[in-house]
Amino acid sequence: MPGSGYVGKLGADHLIDLFKAKKVAEYMCESFPPQVNVKDDGTAETPRAELYFASLKKSHDILVFTADAQPTTSEGEYELSDAVINFAKRIGVKTVYTLAAYITGAFTSTPRVFGSATPKTILESLSSKGVTIMKEGGISGMNGLLIGIASLRGLEGACLLGETSGYVVDAAASKSVLDALSKIIGTPIDTAKLKEKAEETQKVISQLQSLSAEQAQEEAQQPRREQRPGYIS
Amino acid sequence: MPGSGYVGKLGADHLIDLFKAKKVAEYMCESFPPQVNVKDDGTAETPRAELYFASLKKSHDILVFTADAQPTTSEGEYELSDAVINFAKRIGVKTVYTLAAYITGAFTSTPRVFGSATPKTILESLSSKGVTIMKEGGISGMNGLLIGIASLRGLEGACLLGETSGYVVDAAASKSVLDALSKIIGTPIDTAKLKEKAEETQKVISQLQSLSAEQAQEEAQQPRREQRPGYIS
Amino acid sequence: MPGSGYVGKLGADHLIDLFKAKKVAEYMCESFPPQVNVKDDGTAETPRAELYFASLKKSHDILVFTADAQPTTSEGEYELSDAVINFAKRIGVKTVYTLAAYITGAFTSTPRVFGSATPKTILESLSSKGVTIMKEGGISGMNGLLIGIASLRGLEGACLLGETSGYVVDAAASKSVLDALSKIIGTPIDTAKLKEKAEETQKVISQLQSLSAEQAQEEAQQPRREQRPGYIS
Amino acid sequence: MPGSGYVGKLGADHLIDLFKAKKVAEYMCESFPPQVNVKDDGTAETPRAELYFASLKKSHDILVFTADAQPTTSEGEYELSDAVINFAKRIGVKTVYTLAAYITGAFTSTPRVFGSATPKTILESLSSKGVTIMKEGGISGMNGLLIGIASLRGLEGACLLGETSGYVVDAAASKSVLDALSKIIGTPIDTAKLKEKAEETQKVISQLQSLSAEQAQEEAQQPRREQRPGYIS
């Protein structure tokens, strides 16, 4: 789902490309933003959510869920989550993983991966693969609801949250999350493309930080008002 | 639909007048603003959406959709769009054109017409008639949804957006959009009345601009706080 | 309905008391505010809308609609209006009058009554009884919707709006509206109690105004910051 | 329900613990916040409302309602209240008590208990047990709706509101409310644990107040800008 830093969205799209997954279902939702999105070929499309299927060699098959938008109402989020989990259950999915962002407000070169899951038994497998288990807080939006409703429907669910500043589209956080997922499901996931993208972003951040440092020096001599880093995408 | 600059609303009402179209359907929507509008004869009416039908000599018949208001919720916009497209499909409509505003924030005497469409094949015909094809962004509200849902229901859809400042009721933009539509569907559309209306608006803008220029001069000598052009209707 | 100056609510409650009308229907609405109101005997009640019936000697019977609250969503206002009009139509109501406020922001001792109606034929009877016919604008909320939906269901509808400042619970405006209604339906309506209440309010306003005048004088000598008249109820 | 000072939530959870009540029903609601809450064992759960049943020795059996969240829409609050009251009625509940907060903005060491009820006959029993009967105002949210809808379904309903500042999680207010409930239903309710919790909170308040007093002294010598007490939980 599109969200902070596009951590989950980048990850899901990467899986679809990497495993050449095929679209098997499409959802339109009355609480999606009422608009069409114009694509670079000039055509327009209503926002939609999609399920892609791929057969993996060394593990279970996977079903990847991705969407152009999040529903704008609670009711919409519950209904879409419910529809997706029902579909997944019907075709035999056992475990639902959602990929999300864990926002810290600070830049880091080695993003950690946080996690929460249900039932409790999955937590040990997450923990043994380097995932930091959350002890409090909430996971809002569909990344949370999908595992919550999965649990109510008798499926296992885990949310993996990549540490991110929240200021940039963060391919490094996506990479960390997919690396963790790879270990958990025991299937190699090639994240080279995300690494490239992360390095480009890192360059921009470094430039901004050195610029910031210069400004800080200037300001030390000549004090000014509060400044916040901008939003880079 | 009433929207920025009334570009689409002026255009649709002009088509209804010009072709003496007859009302064939009327929609009330629970997410329209809960009120009645008082007309100049003293009577009051709930907001409604209407479909008008006209038989044209040199082209296909046309069905014109116009409304007093936009639904105030996503759900309402999806439902109304769906109802209109279903009606249109049932009576044999093949292509849906929506007339919208492309807001630039700047005044222009020769407004361009932008467009997006689906399927891709229509884009060439738009482009060959002078329409600038959009490559990104979104078209919000029913002007977008109507073509998006048309596409989901197997109809062709194109949105024509007239360039407008967004500050005035812009008959010039409506005229540009109808001129483009005229070329695309191969039917003459007399836009003389819109031209008159556009010229009146142009006079007001010119007066405001010369006034603005005077103020700018004064301010050059005596600096003041930020000023924004007002909304003229 | 409770609204600006309680013009309509005071009027409706006055009719119920005066004609000893009996409750014949009660509505609960999921978009009423989610709360109970505590009454002066200590009991609590969910907000509700009510229909009261009275048999008048010299005119048609009347059905009076009143409510503790307005629905908080468009959908709720449409649904409640629809339910009430359907009930009214079923028991034979021919004309729906709604009592509303026409807010001017200024105090007046002789409040005018404005009106809008549908179909057009009713307007002449309103006009001949001293009602000023509106030529533009809108009537928002259920006072508008009720006559709009009445019209869609084949009933006649008229909204009478009493001129009010909007700053006080305005029994004088309610009185004007009921006096006009009395002439229109040709039935005496004793408004002595509303007159008393209006006179009390008038005293408070006069005191406030003389106080204001003193302050204005003081301020003329010693300038201060902006002041707005408070809300008296 | 979670609300101001958690007065009701603490009280309900205390009853469940004290009487070892068993869960008999669980509700999910589409207007609950769309998220999962992470618990201290690392697992995640969608917000839910729950009904617990306990058999008491010296009084009627009790059914305790508690929830992780309040619905975020009016519709949701009405629907959930309705579902709970219907369940309660079906299994034979005669009287519904809701536990709420009466916010005063000031700290008190001996919180009063306010009440409203329906039908009127219950008020005397409340009053005779030291509950101050409310004469005006409203009780918003599910604590109000539950007794309002109970009344519409033919059950008795009373809301007990513990006086609280609104600034702290207020176990002292919860204790007062449960002490009143104990007298009303004629069953001992051991509130020792709430008393302990209240004493801890009281210490923090005392420290804050003495700190505030010192600040006030400093400010008397050196005036500063407005300060509001923070929210402690």
Side-chain angles (χ1 to χ4, degrees):
Chain A
M1 313 292 299
S4 294
Y6 280 76
V7 176
K9 177 80 177 154
L10 283 179
D13 289 350
H14 185 77
L15 290 175
I16 292 166
D17 285 352
L18 186 69
F19 296 126
K20 300 188 174 49
K22 299 242 159 59
K23 196 195 288 187
V24 291
E26 200 173 77
Y27 299 89
M28 200 176 72
C29 182
E30 289 198 349
S31 64
F32 277 153
Q35 60 176 62
V36 285
N37 300 316
V38 178
K39 297 192 288 188
D40 55 12
D41 69 355
T43 61
E45 242 184 31
T46 52
R48 61 197 62 191
E50 298 166 324
L51 278 169
Y52 287 83
F53 176 83
S55 221
L56 301 197
K57 284 168 205 159
K58 299 183 182 168
S59 84
H60 297 295
D61 297 339
I62 66 166
L63 194 64
V64 185
F65 178 65
T66 183
D68 296 324
Q70 299 239 12
T72 56
T73 64
S74 285
E75 286 80 2
E77 299 203 55
Y78 276 93
E79 281 163 22
L80 182 55
S81 300
D82 212 38
V84 170
I85 294 299
N86 284 341
F87 183 97
K89 188 172 178 182
R90 219 162 50 233
I91 69 163
V93 167
K94 294 275 175 267
T95 311
V96 174
Y97 296 95
T98 60
L99 315 180
Y102 191 99
I103 297 174
T104 60
F107 291 110
T108 173
S109 51
T110 55
R112 283 171 295 174
V113 176
F114 294 85
S116 176
T118 169
K120 204 168 176 319
T121 47
I122 308 185
L123 286 170
E124 284 134 48
S125 92
L126 296 192
S127 184
S128 70
K129 307 302 183 191
V131 173
T132 307
I133 304 305
M134 290 171 72
K135 297 291 182 198
E136 55 174 3
I139 304 169
S140 61
M142 290 199 55
N143 283 320
L145 272 190
L146 281 167
I147 64 163
I149 291 179
S151 161
L152 292 171
R153 299 282 176 269
L155 305 184
E156 297 176 346
C159 182
L160 302 174
L161 305 96
E163 185 180 14
T164 182
S165 66
Y167 297 129
V168 294
V169 169
D170 196 344
S174 292
K175 183 184 177 305
S176 297
V177 166
L178 290 188
D179 289 344
L181 181 64
S182 168
K183 288 181 209 154
I184 295 164
I185 63 172
T187 292
I189 297 175
D190 179 352
T191 54
K193 278 198 190 157
L194 287 175
K195 197 177 172 194
E196 272 174 42
K197 193 157 189 179
E199 282 165 357
E200 284 167 35
T201 304
Q202 187 51 45
K203 276 184 209 156
V204 179
I205 295 170
S206 301
Q207 286 167 358
L208 283 172
Q209 285 177 330
S210 63
L211 208 69
S212 266
E214 283 174 35
Q215 285 187 345
Q217 257 188 332
E218 283 177 31
E219 281 164 27
Q221 299 164 323
Q222 174 191 325
R224 280 197 292 177
R225 254 162 298 168
E226 188 193 355
Q227 296 208 346
R228 290 191 304 169
Y231 194 104
I232 312 148
S233 69
Chain B
M1 312 292 298
S4 295
Y6 280 74
V7 175
K9 176 81 177 152
L10 282 180
D13 289 350
H14 185 77
L15 289 175
I16 292 166
D17 285 352
L18 186 69
F19 296 127
K20 300 188 173 49
K22 299 242 160 58
K23 196 195 288 186
V24 292
E26 201 172 76
Y27 299 88
M28 200 175 72
C29 182
E30 290 199 348
S31 64
F32 276 152
Q35 59 176 63
V36 285
N37 301 316
V38 177
K39 297 193 287 188
D40 55 13
D41 68 355
T43 61
E45 242 184 31
T46 52
R48 59 197 63 191
E50 298 165 323
L51 279 169
Y52 287 82
F53 176 82
S55 221
L56 301 196
K57 285 169 204 161
K58 299 182 182 168
S59 84
H60 297 294
D61 298 338
I62 65 166
L63 194 63
V64 185
F65 178 66
T66 183
D68 297 323
Q70 299 238 14
T72 55
T73 63
S74 286
E75 285 80 3
E77 298 203 57
Y78 275 93
E79 281 163 21
L80 182 55
S81 299
D82 212 38
V84 170
I85 294 299
N86 283 342
F87 182 98
K89 188 172 179 181
R90 218 162 52 231
I91 69 163
V93 167
K94 295 276 176 266
T95 312
V96 174
Y97 295 95
T98 60
L99 315 180
Y102 192 98
I103 297 174
T104 61
F107 292 109
T108 172
S109 52
T110 57
R112 284 170 295 174
V113 175
F114 295 85
S116 175
T118 168
K120 204 170 177 320
T121 47
I122 307 185
L123 285 170
E124 286 135 45
S125 93
L126 296 192
S127 183
S128 70
K129 306 302 184 191
V131 173
T132 307
I133 304 305
M134 291 171 71
K135 297 291 181 200
E136 56 174 3
I139 304 169
S140 61
M142 289 199 55
N143 283 319
L145 271 191
L146 281 166
I147 65 164
I149 291 178
S151 161
L152 292 171
R153 300 281 177 270
L155 305 184
E156 298 177 345
C159 181
L160 302 175
L161 304 96
E163 185 181 14
T164 182
S165 65
Y167 298 128
V168 294
V169 170
D170 196 344
S174 292
K175 183 183 177 307
S176 297
V177 166
L178 290 187
D179 288 345
L181 181 65
S182 168
K183 288 182 209 153
I184 295 164
I185 64 172
T187 292
I189 297 175
D190 179 351
T191 54
K193 279 197 190 159
L194 287 175
K195 198 178 172 193
E196 273 173 44
K197 192 156 188 178
E199 282 164 357
E200 284 167 34
T201 304
Q202 187 52 45
K203 276 185 211 156
V204 179
I205 295 170
S206 301
Q207 287 167 358
L208 282 172
Q209 285 176 327
S210 63
L211 207 70
S212 264
E214 284 174 37
Q215 285 188 345
Q217 258 188 329
E218 283 176 30
E219 281 164 26
Q221 299 165 321
Q222 173 191 325
R224 280 198 291 178
R225 254 163 298 170
E226 188 193 354
Q227 297 208 345
R228 288 190 307 168
Y231 193 104
I232 313 148
S233 68
Chain C
M1 313 292 298
S4 295
Y6 280 75
V7 175
K9 176 80 177 153
L10 282 180
D13 289 349
H14 184 77
L15 289 175
I16 292 166
D17 285 352
L18 186 69
F19 295 127
K20 300 187 174 48
K22 299 241 160 58
K23 196 195 287 187
V24 292
E26 201 173 76
Y27 299 89
M28 199 175 72
C29 182
E30 289 198 348
S31 64
F32 276 152
Q35 59 175 62
V36 286
N37 300 316
V38 177
K39 296 193 288 187
D40 55 13
D41 68 355
T43 61
E45 243 184 30
T46 53
R48 58 196 64 192
E50 298 166 322
L51 278 170
Y52 287 82
F53 175 82
S55 219
L56 301 197
K57 285 169 204 160
K58 299 182 182 170
S59 85
H60 298 293
D61 298 338
I62 66 167
L63 195 64
V64 185
F65 178 66
T66 183
D68 297 322
Q70 300 238 13
T72 56
T73 64
S74 286
E75 286 79 3
E77 299 204 55
Y78 275 94
E79 282 163 22
L80 181 55
S81 299
D82 213 38
V84 170
I85 294 299
N86 283 342
F87 182 98
K89 189 174 177 180
R90 219 162 50 233
I91 69 163
V93 167
K94 294 276 175 266
T95 312
V96 174
Y97 296 94
T98 59
L99 314 181
Y102 191 99
I103 297 174
T104 60
F107 292 110
T108 172
S109 52
T110 56
R112 284 172 295 174
V113 176
F114 294 84
S116 176
T118 168
K120 204 170 177 317
T121 47
I122 308 186
L123 285 170
E124 285 135 46
S125 91
L126 296 192
S127 183
S128 70
K129 307 301 184 192
V131 173
T132 306
I133 305 305
M134 290 171 72
K135 297 291 181 199
E136 56 174 2
I139 303 170
S140 62
M142 289 199 56
N143 283 319
L145 272 191
L146 281 167
I147 66 164
I149 290 178
S151 161
L152 292 171
R153 300 282 176 269
L155 305 184
E156 298 177 344
C159 181
L160 303 175
L161 304 96
E163 184 181 14
T164 181
S165 65
Y167 297 129
V168 294
V169 169
D170 196 344
S174 292
K175 183 183 178 306
S176 295
V177 165
L178 289 187
D179 289 344
L181 181 65
S182 168
K183 288 183 208 154
I184 295 165
I185 64 172
T187 292
I189 297 175
D190 179 351
T191 55
K193 279 198 189 157
L194 287 175
K195 199 178 170 192
E196 272 173 44
K197 191 156 188 179
E199 282 165 358
E200 284 167 34
T201 304
Q202 188 51 45
K203 275 185 211 155
V204 179
I205 295 170
S206 302
Q207 285 167 358
L208 283 172
Q209 285 177 329
S210 62
L211 206 70
S212 267
E214 283 173 37
Q215 285 188 345
Q217 258 188 330
E218 283 176 30
E219 281 164 25
Q221 299 164 321
Q222 172 191 327
R224 281 198 290 177
R225 256 162 297 169
E226 189 193 354
Q227 297 207 343
R228 289 190 305 168
Y231 194 103
I232 313 148
S233 68
Chain D
M1 313 290 299
S4 294
Y6 281 74
V7 176
K9 176 80 177 153
L10 282 180
D13 289 350
H14 184 77
L15 290 175
I16 292 166
D17 285 351
L18 186 69
F19 296 126
K20 301 188 173 47
K22 300 242 160 57
K23 197 195 287 187
V24 291
E26 200 173 78
Y27 299 89
M28 200 176 72
C29 182
E30 289 198 349
S31 64
F32 277 153
Q35 59 176 62
V36 285
N37 300 316
V38 177
K39 297 193 287 187
D40 55 13
D41 68 356
T43 61
E45 243 185 31
T46 52
R48 59 197 62 193
E50 298 165 322
L51 278 169
Y52 287 83
F53 176 82
S55 220
L56 300 198
K57 285 168 204 161
K58 300 182 180 167
S59 85
H60 297 294
D61 298 339
I62 65 167
L63 195 64
V64 185
F65 178 66
T66 183
D68 297 324
Q70 299 239 11
T72 56
T73 64
S74 285
E75 286 79 3
E77 299 204 55
Y78 275 94
E79 281 163 21
L80 182 54
S81 299
D82 213 37
V84 170
I85 294 298
N86 284 342
F87 183 97
K89 188 173 178 180
R90 218 162 52 231
I91 68 162
V93 167
K94 295 275 174 265
T95 311
V96 174
Y97 295 95
T98 60
L99 314 180
Y102 191 99
I103 297 174
T104 60
F107 291 110
T108 173
S109 52
T110 55
R112 283 171 296 175
V113 175
F114 295 84
S116 176
T118 168
K120 204 170 176 318
T121 47
I122 307 186
L123 286 170
E124 285 135 45
S125 91
L126 295 192
S127 184
S128 70
K129 307 300 185 192
V131 172
T132 306
I133 305 304
M134 290 171 72
K135 297 292 181 197
E136 55 175 4
I139 304 169
S140 61
M142 289 199 55
N143 283 319
L145 272 190
L146 280 167
I147 66 163
I149 290 178
S151 161
L152 292 171
R153 300 280 176 270
L155 305 184
E156 298 176 345
C159 182
L160 302 175
L161 305 96
E163 184 180 14
T164 181
S165 65
Y167 297 128
V168 294
V169 169
D170 196 344
S174 292
K175 183 184 177 306
S176 296
V177 166
L178 289 188
D179 289 343
L181 180 64
S182 168
K183 288 182 209 154
I184 295 165
I185 63 172
T187 292
I189 297 175
D190 179 352
T191 55
K193 278 198 189 158
L194 287 175
K195 198 177 172 193
E196 272 172 43
K197 191 158 190 178
E199 281 165 357
E200 283 167 34
T201 304
Q202 188 52 45
K203 275 184 211 155
V204 179
I205 295 170
S206 301
Q207 286 167 357
L208 283 173
Q209 284 176 330
S210 63
L211 207 70
S212 266
E214 283 173 36
Q215 285 188 344
Q217 256 187 331
E218 283 177 30
E219 280 164 27
Q221 298 164 322
Q222 171 191 327
R224 281 198 291 177
R225 255 163 295 168
E226 189 192 353
Q227 297 207 345
R228 289 191 305 169
Y231 193 103
I232 314 147
S233 69

